[in-house]
Amino acid sequence: MLTPERLYKLSGIFSLSVGAAAVTLFFFPKLMPLTMPLVIIGFMSAGYNIYLNNKYEFDEQKWPLGYIGMIINSLPIIFLLILIFKYR
């Protein structure tokens, strides 16, 4: 059975793995259209992780995985904005 603590850990690991996949796929031009759906899924997973952290007050770590996942998932968007403004 999925307890809130288990969902918290799974959503944190999932947001990190999806974020790492999105950052990796961003550097391959043919696979770049796959990065934005991955980023959206990663943001949702990280947001859910942060929600569970605040609701049930899991204070196991100094930096919960949801916050780290949110930062990693924002990297492809920042890179895309840099490319847009640089070659404008």
Side-chain angles (χ1 to χ4, degrees):
M1 179 161 195
L2 289 175
T3 62
E5 185 175 359
R6 186 156 174 91
L7 281 173
Y8 169 71
K9 289 180 181 179
L10 287 174
S11 65
I13 293 169
F14 184 71
S15 69
L16 285 178
S17 61
V18 169
V23 169
T24 304
L25 289 178
F26 184 78
F27 293 107
F28 297 104
K30 290 184 179 180
L31 299 175
M32 200 177 290
L34 295 175
T35 58
M36 290 307 135
L38 282 176
V39 165
I40 292 170
I41 292 169
F43 269 125
M44 290 190 311
S45 176
Y48 185 66
N49 184 277
I50 293 169
Y51 166 74
L52 286 175
N53 186 22
N54 289 330
K55 183 176 180 182
Y56 295 107
E57 297 177 0
F58 297 123
D59 291 329
E60 299 172 353
Q61 304 165 346
K62 186 174 181 180
W63 286 85
L65 294 179
Y67 294 120
I68 299 169
M70 193 72 74
I71 291 169
I72 290 174
N73 282 308
S74 66
L75 289 177
I77 296 173
I78 293 170
F79 291 153
L80 186 65
L81 287 173
I82 289 171
L83 287 175
I84 289 171
F85 289 125
K86 185 177 180 181
Y87 296 108
R88 187 171 170 208

